[in-house]
Amino acid sequence: MRKPLVALATAVLLLGASACADNGSTPSSSGSGAAGGGNLTIVRAQDSVSMDNTMVFSNASIWVFQQMFESLYEVTPDGKDVQPLLAEGYKLSDDKLTWTFTLKQGVKFSTGAPMTSEDVKFSLDKARATKGGWEFLDVAIKSVDAPNPSTVVIKTKYPWAPLLADLANFNNAVLPKDYGGKTSEEFYKAPVGTGPFVWDHWDKGTELQLKKNPTYWDAGKPSIDSVTWKVVPDDNSRNVQIQGGQAQINENPPFSSIEQLKGQPNVKVDLFPSTKTDYVMMNQNEKPFDDVHVRRAISYAIDREALVKTLLFGNGTPANSFLMPNVPFYDPATPGISYDMAKAKEELAQSSVPNGFTTTFLASSGDSTDQALAQVLQSSLKQLGIDMKIQNVDPSAAHDLQQSQKYQISHSYWTMDIADPDELVTFAVDPSAGSHSFYTSYDNPQVIADTKKAEQTFDTAGRQVLYSAIQKQAADDAFMGFLYYSPFSYAYSTKVSGFQVYPTGNYHLEDVTLGQ
Amino acid sequence: MRHLAFLGRRLVGTVPVLLGISVIVFFMIHLVPGDPARTLLGNRATDEAVAALHARFGLDQPLWQQYLSFLGRLLHGDLGRSILYDTDVSELVGLRLPATLWLLVAATVLALLISIPLAVLAATHRGRAADQVVRAVPLLGLGMPTFWVGIMLVLLLALKVHAFPVSGFGKTPVQHLSSIVLPGLTIALAMTPILIRSLRTSMIGVLDSDYVVTARAKGLSHRRVILAHTLRNASVSSITVLGVNIAYLVGSTLVVERVFALPGLGTMMLDAIFNRDFPVVQGVTLVFALMVVAVNLLTDLAHAALDPRIELA
């Protein structure tokens, strides 16, 4: 009995020692010490859910399919403008209703088929026809035509300033006409685009791999041979995988671990400027949140500096506007509400509930931000005579309750997808835009009118005036308590170079190289 | 023959158990608020899109009807389709089961490798220093949370000593084996205190028995007395302890798989719960239930194999 056990123990230890030299994710480089090639492993908390670029809202999906699909335009690295990608340029008619785009020559799909205006027309028409997807970005488009293989003509129903920014969004990416002869279901199981990477495999819940597109139109890119996104739900495990060399990039390590990570050899940490804003949402369908004085009182009672310190470990700044500094037409002069207990008491005294009231904060269990925020807010509001209870439900249920507006006060955040404020502003302040003003039922006719006007205003100065007015009014109405702007945190191996995250959250892996 | 008949009876006996579990799981997961369609479709989902997804997965039907169709499919061996991944649950289970099985086997083997020598040492040195240490030190393991033990093992054996990968499962059997040692050890360390205590106690009982005294009087070597006579007889009662522990530790895989990023059923179950992916939760729960049943069955068979006097009924 003893011998087999000893033999097994020895075998286990020996195999352990030998196998760790090859744990699957070190760059399998062909060069002799030169940068280039190799597999890049990115670890992340959640898996993608689908590759359907017209319907999916999960960032974990978007950041993957953006490596395969490309649009006519793309966001610039500073997140504030767009630049041509599959288009050479455009001409806009005098009545601002007809946009004529010329396509870049020599662009091919990874199947080898050339990209033509027919593919663009098919893709845009498909994107516009979805229901419950990203079609809201394309509502102004009246028609898309393909008069010749290198020209696309887009007509809009009314003058529409954000068109280029909308076209740069991933839902308007160019796919092969008729999905290359497949059904949409078949196509999205092994998608084809014009981008730097092509489909390899997806073990759902475990890992998804793309490989280099050897015939990519931008010659010389990408440098790496393949990229694998691995699902590692535990924050700590992701960090140690970078330290142990099993992965090269960790998507969004928690701020609490940043200092510790910075102290590790061979690990870099970057905080990329983002468009992420956190806020306290107040449901105006629930009394007394229909009262502007109550909302202002709560907004004044939030100690934003303390939140930045405790939740972000100092890695952020208090928010003054519901727009973020990296969004075009953000107004740094917006007189946002900041922490002021005296003013909070004044506002509450003027409200329908001068002596305070009882309310419930809807928090996601297991979400450290929600828990800390709820506790900080609870103690602040106590000074106003507001008794705030905390209701912990799990994240899926919290999401559901927020969306169906079955809450009183809660926390959420957003990031931008396009380089134009229109998407976010419409979503946030226009109750008819599908989300009831981001589930708050905020409804100010002047703000809505300004939003619609800004969509049809083409000159920059004119748009700035409108967006400044919207930001000021929204802050004054305290329709939400804006909390803070926080960066996107990324930890990665010092072997990685050329990795950059845009303020919209996406990244371009064709620019990444892996050293030895 | 005797074993086969026993096996048949026990397998038939699992049917009502699994049925009961399916009822409890099905209705409990539906009692918790949260809608898979909203989770999947995102912030801008229209009511129509949500309704369409509900219809597609039968979530718009009354709960009892949903349960009956779930049961109907189950009878045909169909665990349903994941709402999140739009893939058959049985296919997902097939992808994830190996890592969990590796983990359970590794944990059991490592627990035995640690417990048996230590229990023998303690029992043969009863009351002396070695016995005191063996009885006291593993108890510390009971007080430490599993995830913490896992993290400490990673810091020490993976990051400092570089003896094992920090986490993950690799692609080849050799990589699986090296990846499974630390998670297996994490679970094993939680099992050993009870195993050592139980085996030590029963060994002491056996060591005091007449036949051991006789064996020694006949001049058998100490090693032979311990291995052939004492350990075999003492292990009968410890097998039950081991079986109960393994069954209990099926639940620990949820934590350990997460800490070590093992693509097993435990991590899949947690994801499915968070996303309200009802068919996956139901399917994986049934698989876990089957595993517990199988462990209990194996425990009984091991009992019978070790002690011919035990009747399988």
Side-chain angles (χ1 to χ4, degrees):
Chain A
M1 181 150 186
R2 191 173 176 185
K3 272 184 185 160
L5 285 181
V6 171
L8 186 61
T10 317
V12 164
L13 290 171
L14 283 177
L15 283 171
S18 64
C20 68
D22 175 25
N23 43 35
S25 34
T26 42
S28 58
S29 169
S30 48
S32 52
N39 174 58
L40 176 75
T41 300
I42 302 177
V43 280
R44 48 168 39 180
Q46 280 169 328
D47 196 7
S48 306
V49 292
S50 161
M51 290 296 113
D52 186 342
N53 63 314
T54 60
M55 287 298 290
V56 170
F57 288 85
S58 105
N59 279 334
S61 308
I62 294 165
W63 297 341
V64 171
F65 61 62
Q66 277 187 328
Q67 314 301 329
M68 295 181 286
F69 301 144
E70 294 175 318
S71 310
L72 294 183
Y73 275 72
E74 66 174 346
V75 180
T76 52
D78 67 0
K80 293 184 180 175
D81 207 349
V82 291
Q83 60 195 24
L85 184 61
L86 296 183
E88 285 286 356
Y90 72 96
K91 272 188 195 144
L92 177 58
S93 65
D94 291 341
D95 61 2
K96 302 214 166 13
L97 290 173
T98 305
W99 302 65
T100 306
F101 293 89
T102 313
L103 300 182
K104 191 170 267 166
Q105 292 299 301
V107 175
K108 286 179 182 169
F109 290 105
S110 54
T111 50
M115 181 207 58
T116 70
S117 56
E118 288 290 341
D119 301 306
V120 179
K121 176 177 163 51
F122 167 79
S123 305
L124 295 182
D125 285 345
K126 277 286 173 193
R128 293 192 303 136
T130 56
K131 286 198 166 57
W134 290 85
E135 72 281 0
F136 63 90
L137 285 175
D138 299 330
V139 284
I141 297 178
K142 191 170 135 195
S143 66
V144 182
D145 291 301
N148 65 58
S150 60
T151 309
V152 175
V153 177
I154 296 178
K155 290 201 166 86
T156 59
K157 297 169 191 162
Y158 28 78
W160 186 255
L163 186 77
L164 293 182
D166 293 336
L167 288 179
N169 195 53
F170 44 80
N171 74 310
N172 290 324
V174 182
L175 312 177
K177 188 185 175 187
D178 296 329
Y179 299 117
K182 293 179 176 171
T183 65
S184 78
E185 204 176 324
E186 284 167 353
F187 176 82
Y188 285 118
K189 276 187 181 159
V192 168
T194 62
F197 291 90
V198 297
W199 187 253
D200 193 90
H201 71 271
W202 184 10
D203 297 337
K204 289 178 175 179
T206 309
E207 66 169 43
L208 193 160
Q209 191 172 54
L210 304 184
K211 58 185 184 220
K212 175 182 183 161
N213 175 0
T215 59
Y216 185 48
W217 58 267
D218 194 354
K221 290 182 179 179
S223 160
I224 52 175
D225 295 328
S226 57
V227 53
T228 311
W229 286 265
K230 283 196 174 169
V231 185
V232 180
D234 187 66
D235 289 341
N236 194 60
S237 299
R238 286 199 303 282
N239 285 340
V240 290
Q241 288 214 352
I242 298 290
Q243 287 167 244
Q246 278 181 270
Q248 287 79 46
I249 296 181
N250 177 10
E251 265 182 24
N252 305 129
F255 289 114
S256 57
S257 66
I258 298 280
E259 277 310 307
Q260 185 260 335
L261 280 171
K262 279 182 178 169
Q264 301 297 325
N266 311 323
V267 177
K268 280 188 289 189
V269 180
D270 263 330
L271 300 172
F272 296 97
S274 86
T275 50
K276 184 167 186 281
T277 315
D278 284 60
Y279 52 86
V280 165
M281 54 211 284
M282 293 173 262
N283 182 1
Q284 297 187 20
N285 287 340
E286 296 271 332
K287 283 192 181 302
F289 297 106
D290 55 340
D291 182 340
V292 66
H293 295 294
V294 170
R295 298 198 301 270
R296 280 190 200 143
I298 289 177
S299 212
Y300 275 122
I302 303 170
D303 189 347
R304 292 163 179 78
E305 294 283 357
L307 290 175
V308 167
K309 214 181 261 179
T310 51
L311 289 173
L312 307 180
F313 294 79
N315 300 299
T317 45
N320 64 314
S321 163
F322 73 103
L323 288 186
M324 321 71 168
N326 298 299
V327 171
F329 308 113
Y330 159 77
D331 190 348
T334 302
I337 293 179
S338 51
Y339 181 53
D340 189 334
M341 258 308 170
K343 279 193 178 160
K345 285 176 182 164
E346 268 175 38
E347 286 289 346
L348 199 68
Q350 291 178 50
S351 77
S352 53
V353 280
N355 300 317
F357 60 96
T358 303
T359 188
T360 304
F361 184 96
L362 173 68
S364 291
S365 54
D367 181 326
S368 56
T369 306
D370 269 23
Q371 303 310 318
L373 173 64
Q375 282 163 17
V376 170
L377 198 59
Q378 191 177 42
S379 84
S380 289
L381 294 188
K382 206 172 179 184
Q383 297 175 48
L384 292 176
I386 300 173
D387 178 18
M388 192 184 91
K389 296 183 172 31
I390 301 169
Q391 177 196 6
N392 281 305
V393 298
D394 83 83
S396 169
H399 200 219
D400 200 22
L401 292 170
Q402 284 178 350
Q403 290 191 349
S404 51
Q405 288 188 270
K406 288 177 187 152
Y407 74 95
Q408 293 175 323
I409 180 166
S410 189
H411 159 254
S412 192
Y413 70 87
W414 60 39
T415 56
M416 290 288 291
D417 299 290
I418 66 170
D420 192 283
D422 181 55
E423 177 201 10
L424 174 53
V425 173
T426 308
F427 192 51
V429 303
D430 184 350
S432 67
S435 71
H436 305 283
S437 300
F438 214 110
Y439 319 118
T440 63
S441 282
Y442 171 54
D443 189 354
N444 182 327
Q446 182 58 49
V447 171
I448 298 167
D450 282 349
T451 303
K452 297 215 182 295
K453 206 169 160 193
E455 288 168 347
Q456 305 200 18
T457 304
F458 279 73
D459 77 291
T460 309
R463 289 189 91 192
Q464 183 66 64
V465 169
L466 289 165
Y467 281 118
S468 289
I470 293 167
Q471 290 172 77
K472 183 179 178 307
Q473 189 60 50
D476 202 41
D477 289 339
F479 82 110
M480 297 188 305
F482 324 133
L483 298 179
Y484 45 75
Y485 306 122
S486 55
F488 292 130
S489 59
Y490 274 80
Y492 45 100
S493 154
T494 46
K495 288 176 183 167
V496 175
S497 45
F499 181 70
Q500 188 188 0
V501 180
Y502 292 16
T504 40
N506 50 315
Y507 42 74
H508 284 254
L509 295 176
E510 69 268 28
D511 299 325
V512 171
T513 51
L514 267 180
Q516 294 304 298
Chain B
M1 233 8 250
R2 189 171 70 108
H3 286 193
L4 274 181
F6 164 75
L7 215 59
R9 275 199 304 279
R10 282 292 291 266
L11 286 178
V12 171
T14 57
V15 173
V17 174
L18 292 179
L19 207 61
I21 288 169
S22 77
V23 172
I24 294 168
V25 171
F26 184 90
F27 288 97
M28 270 182 74
I29 182 87
H30 281 86
L31 275 181
V32 188
D35 182 349
R38 289 216 177 267
T39 310
L40 183 64
L41 295 173
N43 282 338
R44 291 188 187 258
T46 56
D47 291 342
E48 294 81 38
V50 171
L53 199 72
H54 280 170
R56 192 169 157 220
F57 285 92
L59 297 169
D60 53 345
Q61 294 169 350
L63 217 49
W64 63 268
Q65 213 167 326
Q66 288 185 46
Y67 176 72
L68 286 185
S69 28
F70 161 64
L71 207 60
R73 283 195 301 269
L74 202 59
L75 289 176
H76 293 92
D78 179 1
L79 288 175
R81 205 166 168 79
S82 160
I83 299 172
L84 187 65
Y85 289 121
D86 200 12
T87 306
D88 284 341
V89 174
S90 48
E91 192 187 323
L92 291 172
V93 167
L95 282 172
R96 299 301 198 93
L97 190 60
T100 302
L101 289 181
W102 270 84
L103 177 61
L104 288 176
V105 171
T108 310
V109 170
L110 288 169
L112 292 175
L113 283 178
I114 297 168
S115 309
I116 295 174
L118 289 179
V120 170
L121 182 75
T124 51
H125 294 74
R126 187 168 18 152
R128 282 188 268 164
D131 185 26
Q132 304 290 356
V133 171
V134 169
R135 288 168 67 194
V137 173
L139 279 181
L140 291 175
L142 271 185
M144 293 186 286
T146 320
F147 75 91
W148 187 83
V149 173
I151 290 168
M152 288 302 120
L153 287 176
V154 169
L155 290 180
L156 187 71
L157 293 176
L159 283 180
K160 280 253 186 288
V161 185
H162 300 291
F164 301 100
V166 290
S167 55
F169 192 47
K171 292 214 182 294
T172 62
V174 172
Q175 287 173 1
H176 294 339
L177 198 54
S178 74
S179 307
I180 213 72
V181 175
L182 292 188
L185 197 57
T186 306
I187 294 188
L189 288 179
M191 287 166 82
T192 46
I194 299 166
L195 275 183
I196 291 174
R197 292 217 136 201
S198 129
L199 194 57
R200 175 188 169 276
T201 310
S202 39
M203 272 199 71
I204 287 172
V206 177
L207 281 172
D208 288 345
S209 65
D210 292 343
Y211 67 86
V212 171
V213 176
T214 313
R216 284 195 198 285
K218 274 163 62 184
L220 286 186
S221 72
H222 177 67
R223 174 183 290 186
R224 204 163 150 69
V225 169
I226 295 296
L227 292 182
H229 293 268
T230 321
L231 201 54
R232 183 184 168 116
N233 289 307
S235 60
V236 174
S237 63
S238 296
I239 285 282
T240 312
V241 176
L242 180 68
V244 170
N245 260 285
I246 295 172
Y248 168 74
L249 287 167
V250 168
S252 296
T253 60
L254 265 70
V255 176
V256 172
E257 284 180 10
R258 196 178 156 89
V259 169
F260 287 95
L262 284 175
L265 289 177
T267 40
M268 185 159 97
M269 175 84 147
L270 283 179
D271 287 348
I273 292 172
F274 286 137
N275 292 307
R276 295 288 182 279
D277 198 345
F278 301 137
V280 173
V281 177
Q282 290 152 13
V284 176
T285 311
L286 283 178
V287 174
F288 273 134
L290 268 176
M291 282 163 75
V292 172
V293 168
V295 168
N296 287 336
L297 197 62
L298 285 173
T299 310
D300 289 346
L301 290 175
H303 254 168
L306 281 169
D307 188 347
R309 291 169 303 174
I310 290 174
E311 286 284 325
L312 289 174

